[in-house]
Amino acid sequence: MQHHLKATSPLNEWLSYLENSHFKAIDLGLERVKTVAQELDLLRPAPYVVTVGGTNGKGTTCHLLETMLINAGYRVGVYSSPHLLRYNERVRIQNQELPDSQHTASFAFINEHKSQSLTYFEFSTLSALHLFKQAKVDVAILEVGLGGRLDATNIVDADMAIITSVDIDHVDFLGDTREKIGFEKAGIFRAGKPVIIGEPDCPHSMLEQAMQLKCAVSRRNADWSFTQQAESWTWQNAKVRLENLPFCDIPLPNAATALAAVQVLPFHISEAVIRQSLREVELIGRFQTIKPTQLSTLAALTNKPVEALPQFIIDVGHNPHAAKYLSEKLTALRSRISGKIIAVCGILKDKDAAGVLTPLLPVIDEWICVTLTGDRGQTGASLSQKLRTIAPDVRPEICRSVQEGVKSAVKKSHKNDVVIVFGSFHTVGEFLQLL
């Protein structure tokens, strides 16, 4: 395969090659990928690098940081994962996705020069570093894929590390306690470099690591804090107090963590830029309402006029921490709607389904459990069984695909109802593809 894939081959061909080019999908350990990065001179992709780890809130924290830096006049590259619809979402330069041709040229360059076998994520990470270097970005923001210590992004020595939150997820790889997970996430810390921690209940293992490395730590509720008022919010540390900040699309703890990072960055970012960025930052896939204009395909599929369709909301949250946030948002929505809330839910089999479903039981009126394909996929029947175990009174409907589940939701709903499609990036991605 390697021999006849050219830089000009379509992106999908490259991605299928990358998926199958290594003998296992997740192969933790940095020796192979670091060797290739050294050979290709990719370990300093930008003059300043920020690595962002955490269980939830990484993508949103990266996005606000990116928005503030761009608005302050800097050239910024962001690498994040997973993607919802297109691979291109994983690499942004100046908040723009790159054309397929830049990705395939980058893959070809790495493929030609690599001396080691690489996983999809390792290949993808090296490609992002190569693209940032070519684009001469001032700041590269790297979102950790899994954990931290053994994640491919950790081959780069970051100038600043951010931890957004610590919760239990990816138990097979990271351990089953917050202390073990905290230790894995703290693997992105570097000696003497600043560390921003947005998790209020910070594991001891994480602080110990920061102390050993003599990192300058800036912690939520210890070094900085935020408070919410009716119409605005306030952020403060010992030196700075920002009042009457506008609410933004992203969860406040994540916005506050990004603001804490800005105070430590060696760049000038004015208060005016901070306010402007909070108003502008948009959130893809977290409690996102689908506009009626996007629903025409769905209307055609279900023979219902667009104006008769329910309101659709998508959420990529897939662990207990994210589910609690979703439950709060749906509870607030409850008071504003006259109809019912129907869930179309698909969860990967290695996730804590009970932990995700439990906080949502009080706010969901009807459940549709859908099958997700792929080796980590879980059937709707298996998910339904997990739901029945924690809520024996619930009678979920089982569907063989996201599309089937969504069609069923439309059939049984009225225009005053809300359909929430959630549980995994895969679930939301399939729904968006349907649109």
Side-chain angles (χ1 to χ4, degrees):
M1 180 100 185
Q2 183 169 344
H3 306 299
H4 59 256
L5 262 190
K6 302 186 186 70
T8 51
S9 301
L11 182 56
N12 287 343
E13 270 183 49
W14 270 104
L15 295 175
S16 112
Y17 165 62
L18 300 190
E19 276 170 5
N20 301 306
S21 65
H22 192 65
F23 67 97
K24 58 199 241 202
I26 297 176
D27 189 7
L28 294 178
L30 300 179
E31 298 75 24
R32 284 170 303 101
V33 65
K34 192 163 188 172
T35 302
V36 179
Q38 266 161 341
E39 291 164 354
L40 303 185
D41 191 23
L42 297 177
L43 290 174
R44 280 309 286 166
Y48 197 90
V49 178
V50 181
T51 299
V52 182
T55 309
N56 286 295
K58 296 187 290 283
T60 48
T61 305
C62 289
H63 192 28
L64 179 54
L65 201 52
E66 165 191 35
T67 306
M68 291 189 283
L69 282 162
I70 290 172
N71 285 339
Y74 298 97
R75 198 162 161 72
V76 185
V78 178
Y79 172 54
S80 68
S81 63
H83 57 270
L84 272 175
L85 280 178
R86 292 175 307 283
Y87 175 84
N88 310 51
E89 296 164 32
R90 292 182 180 228
V91 179
R92 296 195 295 274
I93 291 172
Q94 291 305 79
N95 197 23
Q96 298 296 312
E97 290 175 16
L98 306 177
D100 289 4
S101 57
Q102 277 184 259
H103 289 288
T104 56
S106 179
F107 290 154
F109 168 76
I110 291 159
N111 202 37
E112 201 179 320
H113 296 94
K114 69 178 172 59
S115 59
Q116 311 273 328
S117 168
L118 299 167
T119 67
Y120 177 94
F121 187 72
E122 290 166 346
F123 218 110
S124 159
T125 303
L126 291 174
S127 178
L129 301 179
H130 177 60
L131 290 163
F132 292 156
K133 220 177 144 176
Q134 281 187 310
K136 296 190 166 48
V137 298
D138 302 311
V139 184
I141 301 173
L142 308 177
E143 182 191 319
V144 171
L146 175 66
R149 185 172 65 91
L150 298 174
D151 189 76
T153 54
N154 203 30
I155 57 173
V156 176
D157 291 328
D159 300 284
M160 172 192 280
I162 301 175
I163 301 288
T164 53
S165 65
V166 180
D167 211 25
I168 293 182
D169 198 7
H170 298 295
V171 175
D172 305 354
F173 295 104
L174 306 180
D176 52 5
T177 67
R178 291 178 85 255
E179 288 299 329
K180 284 181 193 164
I181 290 172
F183 171 76
E184 290 295 331
K185 293 194 184 307
I188 64 173
F189 299 171
R190 292 297 186 271
K193 300 292 186 190
V195 166
I196 312 296
I197 298 177
E199 168 59 62
D201 177 22
C202 184
H204 189 66
S205 58
M206 190 171 267
L207 294 175
E208 213 164 64
Q209 188 92 328
M211 259 167 45
Q212 276 178 3
L213 292 168
K214 299 186 169 56
C215 298
V217 178
S218 173
R219 268 170 76 193
R220 175 174 164 189
N221 296 351
D223 305 289
W224 54 271
S225 63
F226 66 96
T227 45
Q228 192 171 338
Q229 291 83 44
E231 301 292 321
S232 65
W233 63 292
T234 304
W235 186 97
Q236 61 194 24
N237 66 10
K239 293 186 190 142
V240 177
R241 186 176 165 87
L242 300 170
E243 295 183 322
N244 296 320
L245 292 169
F247 283 127
C248 54
D249 253 6
I250 71 177
L252 273 194
N254 306 343
T257 303
L259 262 54
V262 160
Q263 304 303 323
V264 181
L265 283 172
F267 305 108
H268 176 66
I269 296 178
S270 68
E271 191 175 322
V273 161
I274 290 174
R275 291 176 185 279
Q276 174 198 351
S277 305
L278 284 167
R279 278 190 288 268
E280 282 177 6
V281 70
E282 267 195 321
L283 184 52
I284 306 298
R286 289 308 301 271
F287 206 74
Q288 183 188 343
T289 301
I290 302 294
K291 297 181 182 75
T293 49
Q294 295 170 274
L295 295 173
S296 52
T297 315
L298 192 56
L301 266 176
T302 53
N303 298 322
K304 259 191 181 182
V306 169
E307 51 280 9
L309 292 176
Q311 181 185 345
F312 272 90
I313 295 172
I314 55 174
D315 193 285
V316 295
H318 52 261
N319 51 38
H321 186 277
K324 285 183 204 115
Y325 173 73
L326 177 56
S327 175
E328 284 162 23
K329 298 292 275 185
L330 287 172
T331 305
L333 177 72
R334 255 251 117 85
S335 56
R336 305 198 299 274
I337 64 165
S338 58
K340 56 184 190 277
I341 298 179
I342 301 169
V344 176
C345 175
I347 300 179
L348 295 172
K349 63 172 178 242
D350 54 10
K351 295 291 171 189
D352 173 8
V356 172
L357 300 169
T358 303
L360 293 157
L361 290 170
V363 284
I364 305 283
D365 300 302
E366 290 187 32
W367 290 87
I368 299 172
C369 295
V370 300
T371 294
L372 296 180
T373 55
D375 34 341
R376 294 168 65 207
Q378 166 165 242
T379 65
S382 160
L383 182 59
S384 161
Q385 213 169 354
K386 290 176 183 173
L387 179 57
R388 299 276 318 257
T389 307
I390 53 169
D393 301 341
V394 173
R395 295 279 177 275
E397 184 186 335
I398 297 167
C399 288
R400 282 176 308 206
S401 66
V402 174
Q403 178 168 344
E404 197 180 290
V406 167
K407 279 168 136 177
S408 173
V410 169
K411 210 178 281 177
K412 59 168 70 175
S413 63
H414 303 288
K415 69 175 173 53
N416 300 335
D417 296 335
V418 170
V419 175
I420 171 85
V421 180
F422 82 101
S424 166
F425 274 86
H426 298 267
T427 314
V428 170
E430 277 185 51
F431 172 63
L432 290 175
Q433 254 160 349
L434 177 64
L435 301 188

